[in-house]
Amino acid sequence: MDSQIAGATVADDMVVSLEYTLRLEDGEIVDTSEGRDPLAYIQGQGNIIPGLEKAVAGMAVGDEKDVVVEPANGYGEADPDAYQEVPRNAFPSEMELTRGMGLSMRDRDTGEALEAYVAGIREDSVLLDFNHPLAGETLHFRVKVADLRSASDEELSHGHVHTEEGVD
Ligand code: ZN
């Protein structure tokens, strides 16, 4: 990439392309960039979890690192109050609900977008879990900085990376 800066290390307002593999405490791989493009994000904008952003700061292109992120610096602790039981007929009858499936919904009062997971299915109701699926987990990352460049003014004002395929 022609915009790459020789000798640069990860600092605020830089676009970082990060190869990563995420494992849980027991070694299970829950996410990886292997086989696809690295994750591109702007350092210092809160685009990624705080514990990972902090650990990547100062790395150079080609550097690799193991990073352990505690829940408080990851997706937070699981909140036992973040469960809600809703009537089965709140969902279309033809919709097949399975345990663990993710649902996107909108808060009726605030219009805020919410992600929930089906935690249980009962005869007439569905138990939804509004915790992030990785809440309460200690995260084990293997990361490698694949590329670095300065973010454009437009990217900084939007707070996210624009790819070559198009801007938004
Ligand atoms: Zn944008």
Side-chain angles (χ1 to χ4, degrees):
M1 194 169 277
D2 57 4
S3 54
Q4 190 175 316
I5 308 153
T9 57
V10 175
D12 285 357
D13 298 344
M14 295 186 82
V15 173
V16 183
S17 295
L18 198 66
E19 294 174 6
Y20 68 95
T21 295
L22 169 57
R23 291 182 172 83
L24 300 182
E25 199 77 13
D26 63 6
E28 183 199 347
I29 295 177
V30 290
D31 195 11
T32 180
S33 64
E34 214 177 295
R36 51 185 163 97
D37 286 340
L39 168 74
Y41 74 94
I42 304 177
Q43 178 79 4
Q45 297 259 348
N47 290 169
I48 62 172
I49 56 170
L52 186 58
E53 188 170 64
K54 194 172 166 214
V56 171
M59 289 176 73
V61 173
D63 283 355
E64 293 183 54
K65 198 175 190 178
D66 289 309
V67 181
V68 179
V69 178
E70 300 298 329
N73 294 311
Y75 293 98
E77 299 290 350
D79 177 3
D81 296 328
Y83 290 86
Q84 200 182 326
E85 193 168 1
V86 297
R88 176 62 180 86
N89 62 17
F91 301 93
S93 55
E94 69 275 13
M95 185 175 177
E96 202 174 320
L97 295 167
T98 55
R99 212 184 135 90
M101 80 184 281
L103 299 167
S104 296
M105 48 190 74
R106 205 161 278 283
D107 187 288
R108 240 185 316 224
D109 302 321
T110 64
E112 186 192 351
L114 297 171
E115 295 288 324
Y117 295 83
V118 175
I121 300 164
R122 293 159 193 169
E123 201 177 333
D124 297 316
S125 69
V126 179
L127 186 66
L128 298 180
D129 178 4
F130 286 88
N131 283 299
H132 189 280
L134 294 175
E137 299 282 358
T138 297
L139 309 171
H140 296 255
F141 287 96
R142 177 74 181 173
V143 296
K144 181 182 181 182
V145 176
D147 193 25
L148 270 180
R149 64 172 170 85
S150 299
S152 68
D153 291 342
E154 192 183 44
E155 287 174 321
L156 289 175
S157 72
H158 288 200
H160 57 232
V161 173
H162 290 166
T163 61
E164 282 157 25
E165 293 90 69
V167 295
D168 58 290

